Amino acid sequence: QERLEDSGGHSVQSGGSLRLACAVSPETQQLFYMGWLRQAPGKEREGVAVTDGATSPTYATSVKGRFVISLDKAKNTLYLQMDNLKPEDTATYFCAADSSLTWFRHPEARPVFVGQETQVTVSS
């Protein structure tokens, strides 16, 4: 298993795993909804997973059962565990936060907080 700190990029073979990490300050956590977005070349931005740190997270259908989002409040870190990666998961990933879910559901909406981008490449 490899870990990314929401910076740089990494490549992995199909079926492999990666964990993304994003620093979210206590102030950012107060925005309430924190999650991960991704954008592949030529495609619209997609909401991957979102959490409020308390209730059940929401996942895109394409990643449900393979990705897990979690928030470690003690470390002020938002994680995205990605297992059984597929070539179609290849995209630029970034964390985000806002007080509403509009940014998660609508590609054109910009969240208040956006973390550093990470390139994830999955080869077949």
Side-chain angles (χ1 to χ4, degrees), residues 2 7 10 12 20 29 53 55 57 69 72 74 78 87 90 102 107 112 114 116:
E2 297 178 87
S7 62
H10 211 81
V12 65
L20 304 184
Q29 293 177 43
T55 59
I69 187 172
D72 188 330
L78 183 72
T90 295
T102 303
V112 171
V114 178
Q116 191 170 352

Coordinates of all heavy atoms in Angstrom, one line a residue, residues 2 7 10 12 20 29 53 55 57 69 72 74 78 87 90 102 107 112 114 116:
E2 N 0.5 2.2 -0.8 CA 1.3 3.4 -0.9 C 0.4 4.6 -0.4 O -0.8 4.6 -0.6 CB 1.8 3.6 -2.3 CG 2.7 2.5 -2.8 CD 3.1 2.7 -4.2 OE1 4.1 3.4 -4.4 OE2 2.5 2.2 -5.1
S7 N 0.0 15.5 -2.6 CA 1.0 16.3 -3.3 C 1.7 15.4 -4.3 O 1.8 14.2 -4.1 CB 2.0 16.9 -2.3 OG 2.7 16.0 -1.6
H10 N 1.4 9.7 -8.3 CA 1.9 8.4 -8.3 C 1.2 7.5 -9.3 O 0.1 7.8 -9.6 CB 1.8 7.8 -6.9 CG 2.9 6.8 -6.5 ND1 4.1 7.2 -6.1 CD2 2.8 5.5 -6.6 CE1 4.8 6.1 -6.0 NE2 4.1 5.0 -6.2
V12 N 0.1 3.4 -10.2 CA -0.1 2.1 -9.6 C -0.7 1.2 -10.6 O -1.4 1.7 -11.5 CB -1.0 2.2 -8.3 CG1 -2.3 2.7 -8.7 CG2 -1.0 0.9 -7.6
L20 N -4.7 8.6 -0.1 CA -4.5 10.0 -0.2 C -4.7 10.6 1.2 O -5.6 10.2 1.9 CB -5.4 10.7 -1.2 CG -5.4 10.1 -2.6 CD1 -6.4 11.0 -3.5 CD2 -4.0 10.1 -3.2
Q29 N -12.4 22.3 9.0 CA -13.4 21.3 9.4 C -14.7 21.9 9.8 O -15.8 21.3 9.7 CB -12.8 20.5 10.6 CG -11.6 19.6 10.2 CD -11.0 18.9 11.3 OE1 -11.7 18.3 12.2 NE2 -9.7 18.9 11.4
G53 N -17.9 14.0 8.9 CA -17.2 13.5 10.1 C -18.0 12.8 11.1 O -17.5 12.3 12.1
T55 N -21.9 11.4 10.3 CA -22.8 10.5 9.6 C -22.2 9.7 8.5 O -21.0 9.9 8.2 CB -24.0 11.3 9.1 OG1 -23.5 12.2 8.1 CG2 -24.7 12.1 10.2
P57 N -20.7 8.5 5.2 CA -20.3 9.2 4.0 C -21.1 8.9 2.8 O -21.8 7.9 2.7 CB -18.8 8.7 3.8 CG -18.5 8.1 5.1 CD -19.7 7.5 5.7
I69 N -13.6 7.0 2.7 CA -13.2 8.4 3.2 C -13.2 8.4 4.7 O -14.1 7.8 5.3 CB -14.1 9.5 2.6 CG1 -13.5 10.9 3.0 CG2 -15.5 9.3 3.0 CD1 -14.3 12.0 2.3
D72 N -9.5 12.0 10.4 CA -8.8 11.9 11.7 C -8.7 13.3 12.3 O -7.8 14.1 12.0 CB -7.4 11.3 11.5 CG -6.7 10.9 12.8 OD1 -7.0 11.6 13.8 OD2 -6.0 10.0 12.8
A74 N -7.9 14.2 15.3 CA -6.7 14.4 16.1 C -5.5 14.8 15.3 O -4.6 15.6 15.7 CB -6.4 13.1 16.9
L78 N -7.7 14.5 6.4 CA -8.7 13.8 5.7 C -8.1 12.7 4.8 O -7.1 13.1 4.1 CB -9.5 14.8 4.8 CG -10.7 14.2 4.0 CD1 -11.9 13.9 5.0 CD2 -11.2 15.2 3.0
P87 N -8.1 1.4 -14.1 CA -7.6 2.4 -15.0 C -8.5 3.7 -15.1 O -8.1 4.8 -15.3 CB -7.5 1.7 -16.4 CG -7.2 0.3 -16.0 CD -8.1 0.1 -14.8
T90 N -8.0 6.8 -13.0 CA -6.9 7.7 -13.4 C -7.5 9.1 -13.5 O -8.4 9.4 -14.2 CB -6.2 7.3 -14.7 OG1 -5.6 6.1 -14.5 CG2 -5.2 8.4 -15.1
T102 N -23.2 21.5 -2.6 CA -23.3 21.9 -4.0 C -22.1 21.6 -4.8 O -22.2 21.1 -5.9 CB -23.6 23.4 -4.1 OG1 -24.8 23.7 -3.4 CG2 -23.8 23.8 -5.6
P107 N -20.4 20.0 -11.0 CA -19.0 20.2 -11.4 C -18.6 21.6 -11.5 O -17.4 22.0 -11.4 CB -19.0 19.5 -12.8 CG -20.1 18.5 -12.8 CD -21.1 19.1 -11.9
V112 N -15.3 26.2 -1.1 CA -14.6 27.3 -0.4 C -13.1 26.9 -0.2 O -12.2 27.7 -0.4 CB -15.3 27.6 1.0 CG1 -14.4 28.5 1.8 CG2 -16.7 28.2 0.8
V114 N -10.0 24.3 -1.2 CA -9.5 23.3 -2.1 C -8.1 22.9 -1.8 O -7.2 23.8 -1.6 CB -9.6 23.8 -3.6 CG1 -9.0 22.8 -4.5 CG2 -11.0 24.1 -4.0
Q116 N -4.3 20.7 -2.3 CA -3.4 20.5 -3.4 C -3.8 19.3 -4.2 O -4.3 18.4 -3.7 CB -2.0 20.3 -2.8 CG -0.9 20.4 -3.8 CD 0.5 20.4 -3.1 OE1 0.6 20.5 -1.9 NE2 1.5 20.3 -3.9

